[in-house]
mmCIF file with all atom_site columns, all heavy atoms in Angstrom:
data_model
loop_
_atom_site.group_PDB
_atom_site.id
_atom_site.type_symbol
_atom_site.label_atom_id
_atom_site.label_alt_id
_atom_site.label_comp_id
_atom_site.label_asym_id
_atom_site.label_entity_id
_atom_site.label_seq_id
_atom_site.pdbx_PDB_ins_code
_atom_site.Cartn_x
_atom_site.Cartn_y
_atom_site.Cartn_z
_atom_site.occupancy
_atom_site.B_iso_or_equiv
_atom_site.pdbx_formal_charge
_atom_site.auth_seq_id
_atom_site.auth_comp_id
_atom_site.auth_asym_id
_atom_site.auth_atom_id
_atom_site.pdbx_PDB_model_num
ATOM 1  N N   . ILE A 1 26 ? -8.277  -18.309 10.340 1.00 94.00 ? 26 ILE A N   1
ATOM 2  C CA  . ILE A 1 26 ? -9.114  -17.888 9.261  1.00 94.00 ? 26 ILE A CA  1
ATOM 3  C C   . ILE A 1 26 ? -8.579  -16.683 8.560  1.00 94.00 ? 26 ILE A C   1
ATOM 4  O O   . ILE A 1 26 ? -7.929  -15.756 9.175  1.00 94.00 ? 26 ILE A O   1
ATOM 5  C CB  . ILE A 1 26 ? -10.533 -17.528 9.689  1.00 94.00 ? 26 ILE A CB  1
ATOM 6  C CG1 . ILE A 1 26 ? -11.431 -17.171 8.504  1.00 94.00 ? 26 ILE A CG1 1
ATOM 7  C CG2 . ILE A 1 26 ? -10.532 -16.450 10.738 1.00 94.00 ? 26 ILE A CG2 1
ATOM 8  C CD1 . ILE A 1 26 ? -12.941 -16.952 8.946  1.00 94.00 ? 26 ILE A CD1 1
ATOM 9  N N   . VAL A 1 27 ? -8.590  -16.542 7.218  1.00 95.00 ? 27 VAL A N   1
ATOM 10 C CA  . VAL A 1 27 ? -8.214  -15.480 6.432  1.00 95.00 ? 27 VAL A CA  1
ATOM 11 C C   . VAL A 1 27 ? -9.506  -14.905 5.655  1.00 95.00 ? 27 VAL A C   1
ATOM 12 O O   . VAL A 1 27 ? -9.946  -15.637 4.861  1.00 95.00 ? 27 VAL A O   1
ATOM 13 C CB  . VAL A 1 27 ? -7.113  -15.843 5.444  1.00 95.00 ? 27 VAL A CB  1
ATOM 14 C CG1 . VAL A 1 27 ? -6.798  -14.588 4.572  1.00 95.00 ? 27 VAL A CG1 1
ATOM 15 C CG2 . VAL A 1 27 ? -5.935  -16.339 6.181  1.00 95.00 ? 27 VAL A CG2 1
ATOM 16 N N   . ILE A 1 28 ? -9.973  -13.829 5.978  1.00 97.00 ? 28 ILE A N   1
ATOM 17 C CA  . ILE A 1 28 ? -11.126 -13.311 5.380  1.00 97.00 ? 28 ILE A CA  1
ATOM 18 C C   . ILE A 1 28 ? -10.895 -12.814 3.949  1.00 97.00 ? 28 ILE A C   1
ATOM 19 O O   . ILE A 1 28 ? -9.940  -11.979 3.781  1.00 97.00 ? 28 ILE A O   1
ATOM 20 C CB  . ILE A 1 28 ? -11.877 -12.198 6.238  1.00 97.00 ? 28 ILE A CB  1
ATOM 21 C CG1 . ILE A 1 28 ? -12.251 -12.803 7.535  1.00 97.00 ? 28 ILE A CG1 1
ATOM 22 C CG2 . ILE A 1 28 ? -13.047 -11.582 5.574  1.00 97.00 ? 28 ILE A CG2 1
ATOM 23 C CD1 . ILE A 1 28 ? -12.646 -11.780 8.644  1.00 97.00 ? 28 ILE A CD1 1
ATOM 24 N N   . ASP A 1 29 ? -11.651 -13.164 2.961  1.00 97.00 ? 29 ASP A N   1
ATOM 25 C CA  . ASP A 1 29 ? -11.405 -12.788 1.636  1.00 97.00 ? 29 ASP A CA  1
ATOM 26 C C   . ASP A 1 29 ? -12.419 -11.759 1.150  1.00 97.00 ? 29 ASP A C   1
ATOM 27 O O   . ASP A 1 29 ? -12.079 -10.830 0.567  1.00 97.00 ? 29 ASP A O   1
ATOM 28 C CB  . ASP A 1 29 ? -11.451 -14.011 0.706  1.00 97.00 ? 29 ASP A CB  1
ATOM 29 C CG  . ASP A 1 29 ? -11.194 -13.693 -0.746 1.00 97.00 ? 29 ASP A CG  1
ATOM 30 O OD1 . ASP A 1 29 ? -10.010 -13.572 -1.049 1.00 97.00 ? 29 ASP A OD1 1
ATOM 31 O OD2 . ASP A 1 29 ? -12.137 -13.665 -1.609 1.00 97.00 ? 29 ASP A OD2 1
ATOM 32 N N   . HIS A 1 30 ? -13.712 -11.995 1.471  1.00 98.00 ? 30 HIS A N   1
ATOM 33 C CA  . HIS A 1 30 ? -14.672 -10.991 1.036  1.00 98.00 ? 30 HIS A CA  1
ATOM 34 C C   . HIS A 1 30 ? -15.919 -11.092 1.921  1.00 98.00 ? 30 HIS A C   1
ATOM 35 O O   . HIS A 1 30 ? -16.140 -12.050 2.683  1.00 98.00 ? 30 HIS A O   1
ATOM 36 C CB  . HIS A 1 30 ? -15.072 -11.078 -0.469 1.00 98.00 ? 30 HIS A CB  1
ATOM 37 C CG  . HIS A 1 30 ? -15.649 -12.474 -0.846 1.00 98.00 ? 30 HIS A CG  1
ATOM 38 N ND1 . HIS A 1 30 ? -14.808 -13.485 -1.179 1.00 98.00 ? 30 HIS A ND1 1
ATOM 39 C CD2 . HIS A 1 30 ? -16.888 -12.848 -1.049 1.00 98.00 ? 30 HIS A CD2 1
ATOM 40 C CE1 . HIS A 1 30 ? -15.520 -14.560 -1.435 1.00 98.00 ? 30 HIS A CE1 1
ATOM 41 N NE2 . HIS A 1 30 ? -16.841 -14.229 -1.463 1.00 98.00 ? 30 HIS A NE2 1
ATOM 42 N N   . GLY A 1 31 ? -16.803 -10.109 1.766  1.00 98.00 ? 31 GLY A N   1
ATOM 43 C CA  . GLY A 1 31 ? -17.992 -10.128 2.586  1.00 98.00 ? 31 GLY A CA  1
ATOM 44 C C   . GLY A 1 31 ? -19.142 -9.332  1.904  1.00 98.00 ? 31 GLY A C   1
ATOM 45 O O   . GLY A 1 31 ? -18.957 -8.441  1.039  1.00 98.00 ? 31 GLY A O   1
ATOM 46 N N   . LYS A 1 32 ? -20.380 -9.621  2.285  1.00 98.00 ? 32 LYS A N   1
ATOM 47 C CA  . LYS A 1 32 ? -21.500 -9.076  1.692  1.00 98.00 ? 32 LYS A CA  1
ATOM 48 C C   . LYS A 1 32 ? -22.610 -9.034  2.803  1.00 98.00 ? 32 LYS A C   1
ATOM 49 O O   . LYS A 1 32 ? -22.997 -10.038 3.282  1.00 98.00 ? 32 LYS A O   1
ATOM 50 C CB  . LYS A 1 32 ? -22.033 -9.752  0.495  1.00 98.00 ? 32 LYS A CB  1
ATOM 51 C CG  . LYS A 1 32 ? -23.193 -9.016  -0.283 1.00 98.00 ? 32 LYS A CG  1
ATOM 52 C CD  . LYS A 1 32 ? -22.501 -7.778  -0.974 1.00 98.00 ? 32 LYS A CD  1
ATOM 53 C CE  . LYS A 1 32 ? -23.564 -7.074  -1.894 1.00 98.00 ? 32 LYS A CE  1
ATOM 54 N NZ  . LYS A 1 32 ? -23.003 -5.916  -2.431 1.00 98.00 ? 32 LYS A NZ  1
ATOM 55 N N   . GLY A 1 33 ? -23.029 -7.851  3.186  1.00 98.00 ? 33 GLY A N   1
ATOM 56 C CA  . GLY A 1 33 ? -24.071 -7.733  4.271  1.00 98.00 ? 33 GLY A CA  1
ATOM 57 C C   . GLY A 1 33 ? -23.534 -8.290  5.557  1.00 98.00 ? 33 GLY A C   1
ATOM 58 O O   . GLY A 1 33 ? -22.498 -7.795  6.090  1.00 98.00 ? 33 GLY A O   1
ATOM 59 N N   . ALA A 1 34 ? -24.153 -9.357  6.079  1.00 98.00 ? 34 ALA A N   1
ATOM 60 C CA  . ALA A 1 34 ? -23.711 -9.982  7.346  1.00 98.00 ? 34 ALA A CA  1
ATOM 61 C C   . ALA A 1 34 ? -23.000 -11.275 7.095  1.00 98.00 ? 34 ALA A C   1
ATOM 62 O O   . ALA A 1 34 ? -22.783 -11.986 8.109  1.00 98.00 ? 34 ALA A O   1
ATOM 63 C CB  . ALA A 1 34 ? -24.963 -10.167 8.325  1.00 98.00 ? 34 ALA A CB  1
ATOM 64 N N   . ILE A 1 35 ? -22.604 -11.499 5.952  1.00 98.00 ? 35 ILE A N   1
ATOM 65 C CA  . ILE A 1 35 ? -21.936 -12.797 5.620  1.00 98.00 ? 35 ILE A CA  1
ATOM 66 C C   . ILE A 1 35 ? -20.472 -12.503 5.170  1.00 98.00 ? 35 ILE A C   1
ATOM 67 O O   . ILE A 1 35 ? -20.241 -11.678 4.359  1.00 98.00 ? 35 ILE A O   1
ATOM 68 C CB  . ILE A 1 35 ? -22.694 -13.517 4.458  1.00 98.00 ? 35 ILE A CB  1
ATOM 69 C CG1 . ILE A 1 35 ? -24.102 -13.817 4.835  1.00 98.00 ? 35 ILE A CG1 1
ATOM 70 C CG2 . ILE A 1 35 ? -21.915 -14.858 4.177  1.00 98.00 ? 35 ILE A CG2 1
ATOM 71 C CD1 . ILE A 1 35 ? -24.289 -14.637 6.141  1.00 98.00 ? 35 ILE A CD1 1
ATOM 72 N N   . ILE A 1 36 ? -19.505 -13.195 5.740  1.00 98.00 ? 36 ILE A N   1
ATOM 73 C CA  . ILE A 1 36 ? -18.131 -13.098 5.292  1.00 98.00 ? 36 ILE A CA  1
ATOM 74 C C   . ILE A 1 36 ? -17.698 -14.446 4.768  1.00 98.00 ? 36 ILE A C   1
ATOM 75 O O   . ILE A 1 36 ? -18.242 -15.447 5.127  1.00 98.00 ? 36 ILE A O   1
ATOM 76 C CB  . ILE A 1 36 ? -17.143 -12.649 6.414  1.00 98.00 ? 36 ILE A CB  1
ATOM 77 C CG1 . ILE A 1 36 ? -17.275 -13.555 7.634  1.00 98.00 ? 36 ILE A CG1 1
ATOM 78 C CG2 . ILE A 1 36 ? -17.460 -11.172 6.806  1.00 98.00 ? 36 ILE A CG2 1
ATOM 79 C CD1 . ILE A 1 36 ? -16.256 -13.192 8.654  1.00 98.00 ? 36 ILE A CD1 1
#
Side-chain angles (χ1 to χ4, degrees):
I26 182 176
V27 177
I28 297 169
D29 184 74
H30 59 276
K32 190 72 174 176
I35 304 298
I36 56 174

